Amino acid sequence: MSLQTRLMTAVIGFVSLILVIVSFITTAILGRTLEGQLEENLKEYSIALTVQLVSPLPQSEANVDTIFAGGPLREPGLLVAVSSTRGGTSGIVFENSKAELDGSSQTLTDAQLDQINAALNGASDATISIDGLGSYRVVVTTAHNGVNVVTGLPRTEIQAQLAQLISVIVLATLGGLILLALTTAITIRLGLRPLRAVAATATRVANQPLDRGEVEITERVPASEADPRTETGLVGSSLNKLLDHVNTSLASRQKNEERMRRFVADASHELRTPLSSIRGYPELSLRALKQQGGEAAIESTTTSLERIQAQSLRMTSLVEDLLLLARLDEGRELVYGTVDLTQLALEGLSDARPTAADHHWNIDAPDDPIVIIGDAGRMHQVVANLLANARTHTPAGTSITLSVAREGDEAVLRVHDDGPGIDPGVREELFARFARGDSSRARQTGGTGLGLAIAKAIVEGHGGHITVSSEPGDTTFTVRIPISPTTAAD
């Protein structure tokens, strides 16, 4: 069954059970109250008949005709039976109508008197169903003259009131249950409308092709059905957050795929050139040996071997960068020790200065050493990569400043240049792997896009972080590393 059906069944079932219980209790209490009133009235009539009318008479005169000759104590439906050894047994019952208080009466038949006698069977009171009269409550008393007096009042009015009450309760219950069903159905339907909106949105999203190409999920649960203050609205709000996250993840996946394709093209270009050289130079050397011989062949072979070695080193460097990133991801590459960051900055700047004599190189470092716990070799690589990045992507005459400072519990290293700045289109993914600040594949400006990714991985391996701020004439890479990182490995 649907949730709506189950909720309606449960609500209507419980309410019906409660109404039945309340109706049963109400009917029982009212019945007992009415029966109690009937008993009180019956006792009053019984005492009055026995004391005032029967006791003064001799047994021979004690019969219903003598008792009611004067007409007192006539009550609609009143039943009186008198029995004595001398006067015999006789009975009378008045018409059960309140229209006439002194209405006509009828004599009880022998069969009716036998029914009364059999029902009492020596008891002082009983509830009797008399043929032709209906249900009666009777009580037996004995007068002072020894006459037995049976007094009874009809239970017809009690039964009619209870039947009317039950009819009213049944009709009111049915009407209430119908109204409850309609109200519950409308309330549940309105309450579950956000879930239907969630299901419709999820179905539309499920029908979208998400396994290939550029994907954007624009479907969302309407804001009116995604109110987080309600339980069902919270489901819609959560689905919208999930779809936002999935959409962001798909966009990131697409960017990664594009970056990977670009990297494959870059790596293919980087590897194709040295591989072509390694294949071509041996062919050239063999041809020289066959055609020329002597000193010329030796000189040509020597040159070819030197070029083969250079291209092998170029390929080795690229492969080592990729292996380094993989090892940093696994946390297996860093070897911690004491590192003087000031001395490391001085050495890094000294190494970088000869590679770009047309740049202006500056350093800002304190006199006292700034010592951190880290991997000296990898930190030197961070400094070298940042300086190389600044040198490669700035024109001649650019001033590059390397500064080292301590700020609180962190060592801060900054590389600043007054070059043209970084293109805003690539700034957000500058530290991503295979990202390139220059779309060309020239080794002078393009690179492989791994330098800053390696620097970021090393810095984060030390528990720090690296950021960049750039505008024309003011570009700064900032590295912050804890003095004693809690993530340092043994």
Side-chain angles (χ1 to χ4, degrees):
M1 293 188 294
S2 65
L3 178 59
Q4 179 174 346
T5 304
R6 283 183 288 164
L7 288 175
M8 289 186 60
T9 302
V11 170
I12 295 175
F14 279 117
V15 171
S16 300
L17 178 62
I18 293 172
L19 290 177
V20 169
I21 294 175
V22 171
S23 301
F24 178 79
I25 294 174
T26 302
T27 304
I29 292 175
L30 178 61
R32 292 181 63 180
T33 302
L34 294 176
E35 292 285 353
Q37 293 176 354
L38 183 66
E39 289 284 345
E40 293 294 329
N41 293 335
L42 185 60
K43 288 181 180 179
E44 292 178 0
Y45 280 109
S46 175
I47 293 173
L49 286 170
T50 303
V51 175
Q52 298 178 16
L53 300 182
V54 178
S55 293
L57 297 175
Q59 284 192 11
S60 60
E61 298 180 6
N63 55 65
V64 292
D65 294 331
T66 305
I67 293 173
F68 292 103
L73 295 176
R74 295 190 176 190
E75 173 69 13
L78 177 65
L79 179 148
V80 178
V82 178
S83 175
S84 65
T85 55
R86 294 183 180 180
T89 302
S90 62
I92 191 174
V93 60
F94 292 93
E95 291 294 334
N96 191 10
S97 171
K98 291 186 177 180
E100 301 181 26
L101 293 179
D102 56 350
S104 61
S105 61
Q106 67 180 30
T107 304
L108 295 177
T109 65
D110 293 338
Q112 292 174 334
L113 291 173
D114 291 340
Q115 282 183 317
I116 296 173
N117 183 56
L120 288 171
N121 194 24
S124 61
D125 56 51
T127 299
I128 308 171
S129 179
I130 304 175
D131 294 339
L133 300 179
S135 180
Y136 266 75
R137 181 67 178 172
V138 297
V139 62
V140 180
T141 56
T142 302
H144 293 297
N145 57 9
V147 177
N148 293 323
V149 180
V150 176
T151 308
L153 287 175
R155 298 179 64 251
T156 307
E157 185 175 353
I158 296 176
Q159 292 175 335
Q161 290 182 2
L162 292 178
Q164 183 179 7
L165 176 64
I166 292 174
S167 299
V168 171
I169 289 176
V170 170
L171 293 177
T173 300
L174 291 177
L177 289 178
I178 293 173
L179 181 61
L180 175 65
L182 293 176
T183 305
T184 304
I186 295 173
T187 303
I188 294 176
R189 189 170 184 83
L190 293 176
L192 296 180
R193 187 169 61 184
L195 292 183
R196 288 191 290 271
V198 168
T201 302
T203 301
R204 292 193 297 270
V205 172
N207 292 330
Q208 289 186 244
L210 305 178
D211 58 338
R212 60 187 180 277
E214 186 173 355
V215 178
E216 182 178 3
I217 302 177
T218 58
E219 296 290 345
R220 295 293 185 276
V221 179
S224 59
E225 310 296 346
D227 188 353
R229 294 174 298 178
T230 64
E231 292 80 356
T232 52
L234 183 60
V235 177
S237 177
S238 300
L239 179 61
N240 283 344
K241 291 180 181 178
L242 175 62
L243 293 178
D244 290 339
H245 175 69
V246 172
N247 193 49
T248 302
S249 300
L250 290 174
S252 177
R253 183 210 67 180
Q254 181 66 20
K255 289 181 179 179
N256 288 336
E257 289 180 355
E258 293 175 355
R259 191 179 298 124
M260 180 64 71
R261 286 193 293 268
R262 187 168 62 247
F263 166 72
V264 170
D266 292 342
S268 299
H269 176 79
E270 292 289 334
L271 293 174
R272 183 178 60 184
T273 300
L275 286 173
S276 298
S277 300
I278 292 173
R279 185 182 64 183
Y281 280 115
E283 293 177 357
L284 181 61
S285 299
L286 290 174
R287 187 179 304 167
L289 288 173
K290 291 179 180 179
Q291 295 178 358
Q292 299 175 3
E295 294 294 333
I298 295 175
E299 182 179 354
S300 176
T301 301
T302 302
T303 301
S304 297
L305 292 175
E306 290 175 351
R307 297 302 301 162
I308 290 172
Q309 182 183 28
Q311 297 302 330
S312 298
L313 292 174
R314 181 178 172 183
M315 286 193 302
T316 301
S317 176
L318 176 61
V319 173
E320 286 180 349
D321 285 346
L322 294 174
L323 288 175
L324 174 61
L325 283 171
R327 289 171 181 170
L328 288 173
D329 285 341
E330 297 175 358
R332 300 185 306 172
E333 189 64 20
L334 299 179
V335 179
Y336 286 86
T338 301
V339 181
D340 185 348
L341 199 58
T342 304
Q343 181 63 31
L344 188 144
L346 290 171
E347 294 175 356
L349 192 66
S350 299
D351 294 339
R353 183 179 284 114
T355 62
D358 53 357
H359 285 63
H360 302 291
W361 298 91
N362 306 295
I363 188 166
D364 181 11
D367 296 333
D368 297 330
I370 298 177
V371 180
I372 65 171
I373 303 300
D375 188 320
R378 295 307 172 197
M379 287 305 303
H380 186 278
Q381 189 172 2
V382 171
V383 175
N385 285 357
L386 292 178
L387 292 175
N389 183 73
R391 179 197 71 222
T392 303
H393 297 286
T394 56
T398 301
S399 295
I400 300 175
T401 302
L402 175 61
S403 62
V404 181
R406 176 168 181 169
E407 297 179 2
D409 295 332
E410 294 180 327
V412 182
L413 184 145
R414 293 183 176 90
V415 176
H416 173 271
D417 68 73
D418 56 3
I422 302 173
D423 183 0
V426 299
R427 190 180 305 165
E428 292 184 359
E429 57 179 27
L430 197 61
F431 295 101
R433 297 177 186 185
F434 321 126
R436 298 162 62 91
D438 190 331
S439 59
S440 70
R441 291 189 172 93
R443 287 192 57 78
Q444 292 80 9
T445 59
T448 59
L450 296 177
L452 291 180
I454 291 174
K456 181 175 182 292
I458 294 173
V459 171
E460 291 181 349
H462 284 78
H465 59 277
I466 181 171
T467 58
V468 62
S469 61
S470 178
E471 60 184 28
D474 184 11
T475 300
T476 303
F477 284 85
T478 303
V479 175
R480 294 181 178 273
I481 296 180
I483 298 297
S484 300
T486 56
T487 56
D490 296 334

